[in-house]
Amino acid sequence: MENKKSTLDFPAMNIKISGIPLPIYLAFTIITGVSIAVKWLPSGMIGALLVMMILGGLFNIIGNNLPIVKTFLGGGAIVCIFASAALVYSGLISEDIVENVDQFMNKTGFLNFYIAALITGSILGMDRSLLLKAAVRFLPVALCAMSLAILSVGVVGTLVGYGFVDAVMYVAIPMMGGGMGAGVVPLSSMYAEALHTDSAAIISRMIPASTLGNVMAIVGAGLLAKLGDIKPGLTGNGLLMRNHNSEMSEKNNSSVSLEELGIGMITAMVFFLMGVIINKFVPAVHSYAWMIILVAVSKGGGFIPAKFEDSARQWSQFVMKNWTSALLVGIGISMIDLGAVVKAVSPMYLLLVFVVVGSVSVGAGIGGHLVGFYPVESAITAGLCTTNMGGTGDIAVLSAAKRMELLPFAQIATRICGALILIVASILTQILF
């Protein structure tokens, strides 16, 4: 009997994007592209998520195979963000698609849905003793590193003629405020009130610092990951604490059931809801921070049944595996303004932003080493994650470093340290302005 090749037995079928053979993936891409061109793409969740997942898969595999990008710049993560932002900047993605993705990411709450899953699963999947030991050391390391960065940029700003006050108040503080909504917006109102001026002029000075800081933090995360590959003794490959036998994801190979995924999803959403409820009574502390505290206390006190802990961890892994690239595309489309980045680029400005990012990462790396952390993981979380754009920046930085399991610590750096920066800024406006 003559052997015949299967119709699917082609070399291209061995190349897979998001688990889908290349020819089929390209067919899906063409269908989506034509639907966009003739404006037949559904609005809402289906249209937004489909565009994000299609572009995310393509950009991720491209970035993970570009020689310099994959080695030094974070691979697929950075391509997902900036390639999609470039499509918006060039007009290749229409305004209605941008609005739909922005609506889905922010107002519909996909970003919150993603972050809730990762925070809950990451913390509940940790070893309890690791959580307790790391938490009490992490915040002091981050705060000391931020103080070093603020002082350093002030000194450099004075030397290059930018000014100590301007370098601190318009470069360092906006970069460390916890992102756009939680940092730059309230800071601009605070400055405007102190200076008796319009907040629009203030925010236009702050956005480039926040955006460029986010870019450099992402690139820095890729470089630190490469440093860990070259110097294995400096990294725990996703573990923060040295000399700790347990791993955060010690049950990665355990089986998962559909029921457990549902339990994990509900658990994550309930913890997020509780964080939102407490935020209503104590609005000075972000709801993400309250959620971290609630999950950490529940884990540390042993209040969560083992099945719920494992279900939350499995759900976070499902979300991370399937939607990280899509989320990064959503960040690029809806939250990265390449125009503002381009306008702000000047040698002096880039130097000041680099001083902040470099100082905080070096300070966090050294400080982390002194308290028993791996320097690479400490530099990424207690350092770089204080200079990115909030929760989205945390995801981008950790994706570039391939250390998504560190998201709870990244969120501590972003939310709690960001809130403290706002308090410091309110004091400095009275002293320096």
Side-chain angles (χ1 to χ4, degrees):
M1 185 174 179
E2 184 180 354
N3 290 326
K4 293 183 179 180
K5 287 188 175 182
S6 166
T7 55
L8 296 180
D9 190 14
F10 298 106
M13 299 299 291
N14 296 323
I15 302 173
K16 295 184 177 181
I17 301 176
S18 302
I20 302 172
L22 179 60
I24 299 176
Y25 200 94
L26 293 178
F28 289 171
T29 303
I30 292 170
I31 293 170
T32 304
V34 171
S35 298
I36 292 173
V38 299
K39 298 189 180 299
W40 289 350
L41 186 75
S43 60
M45 173 180 170
I46 291 179
L49 189 56
L50 179 60
V51 169
M52 290 160 58
M53 291 188 74
I54 290 290
L55 291 180
L58 288 172
F59 292 152
N60 187 58
I61 197 169
I62 290 171
N64 287 336
N65 287 279
L66 287 175
I68 296 176
V69 173
K70 73 175 183 179
T71 305
F72 298 105
L73 301 180
I78 200 165
V79 174
C80 284
I81 294 171
F82 293 106
S84 53
L87 291 177
V88 175
Y89 183 66
S90 63
L92 294 177
I93 294 182
S94 60
E95 186 62 31
D96 58 327
I97 299 297
V98 174
E99 290 178 3
N100 192 37
V101 170
D102 180 56
Q103 176 86 14
F104 176 64
M105 284 282 292
N106 298 298
K107 295 180 181 177
T108 301
F110 180 67
L111 177 61
N112 289 336
F113 182 74
Y114 181 98
I115 291 176
L118 261 64
I119 289 177
T120 305
S122 297
I123 295 178
L124 294 183
M126 282 185 188
D127 177 83
R128 184 174 288 106
S129 62
L130 167 64
L131 176 64
L132 296 174
K133 288 180 181 178
V136 296
R137 309 180 195 189
F138 184 83
L139 201 56
V141 170
L143 293 175
C144 289
M146 294 167 75
S147 300
L148 173 64
I150 290 172
L151 180 61
S152 298
V153 78
V155 172
V156 173
T158 302
L159 294 176
V160 300
Y162 193 84
F164 184 93
V165 172
D166 281 1
V168 169
M169 301 300 286
Y170 290 101
V171 179
I173 296 294
M175 288 173 62
M176 297 179 178
M180 195 66 66
V184 170
V185 173
L187 281 170
S188 65
S189 300
M190 196 182 300
Y191 286 19
E193 183 178 345
L195 295 170
H196 305 290
T197 187
D198 183 21
S199 62
I202 303 293
I203 201 169
S204 65
R205 293 187 65 182
M206 292 183 173
I207 287 176
S210 181
T211 305
L212 285 171
N214 196 52
V215 172
M216 286 194 184
I218 296 168
V219 174
L223 294 174
L224 282 171
K226 182 61 179 176
L227 175 63
D229 293 338
I230 297 172
K231 300 285 187 180
L234 297 178
T235 179
N237 295 309
L239 297 177
L240 183 64
M241 289 283 294
R242 293 198 311 268
N243 302 321
H244 199 279
N245 294 326
S246 297
E247 297 186 6
M248 288 183 183
S249 302
E250 53 188 311
K251 300 179 182 177
N252 278 344
N253 296 322
S254 62
S255 60
V256 59
S257 71
L258 298 178
E259 181 184 71
E260 286 176 330
L261 290 178
I263 293 171
M265 180 171 65
I266 293 174
T267 302
M269 290 190 294
V270 168
F271 271 115
F272 179 79
L273 174 61
M274 290 192 291
V276 171
I277 291 171
I278 298 177
N279 174 255
K280 299 294 184 183
F281 296 96
V282 190
V285 180
H286 197 279
S287 55
Y288 285 165
W290 283 122
M291 187 174 84
I292 292 169
I293 293 169
L294 287 170
V295 180
V297 169
S298 298
K299 176 67 179 182
F303 303 135
I304 306 296
K307 182 176 181 178
F308 282 75
E309 290 186 352
D310 192 55
S311 296
R313 183 185 57 79
Q314 297 278 19
W315 170 243
S316 73
Q317 290 179 354
F318 174 86
V319 169
M320 183 170 60
K321 174 69 175 177
N322 290 285
W323 290 331
T324 296
S325 295
L327 186 84
L328 295 174
V329 167
I331 292 170
I333 290 175
S334 64
M335 300 179 184
I336 300 294
D337 184 355
L338 282 187
V341 175
V342 171
K343 288 179 183 178
V345 172
S346 70
M348 180 185 295
Y349 202 87
L350 287 173
L351 172 63
L352 294 175
V353 174
F354 175 78
V355 167
V356 176
V357 175
S359 298
V360 78
S361 57
V362 170
I366 295 173
H369 176 75
L370 295 176
V371 301
F373 294 162
Y374 283 104
V376 167
E377 278 70 20
S378 182
I380 292 170
T381 52
L384 296 179
C385 287
T386 64
T387 64
N388 59 36
M389 294 176 69
T392 58
D394 289 339
I395 293 166
V397 166
L398 297 181
S399 294
K402 297 178 177 62
R403 286 163 170 81
M404 287 297 293
E405 60 267 43
L406 293 173
L407 184 62
F409 295 110
Q411 285 284 296
I412 291 172
T414 298
R415 298 305 174 188
I416 297 178
C417 293
L420 292 174
I421 282 292
L422 292 181
I423 296 172
V424 170
S426 66
I427 297 171
L428 290 179
T429 55
Q430 305 302 317
I431 299 174
L432 300 179
F433 287 163

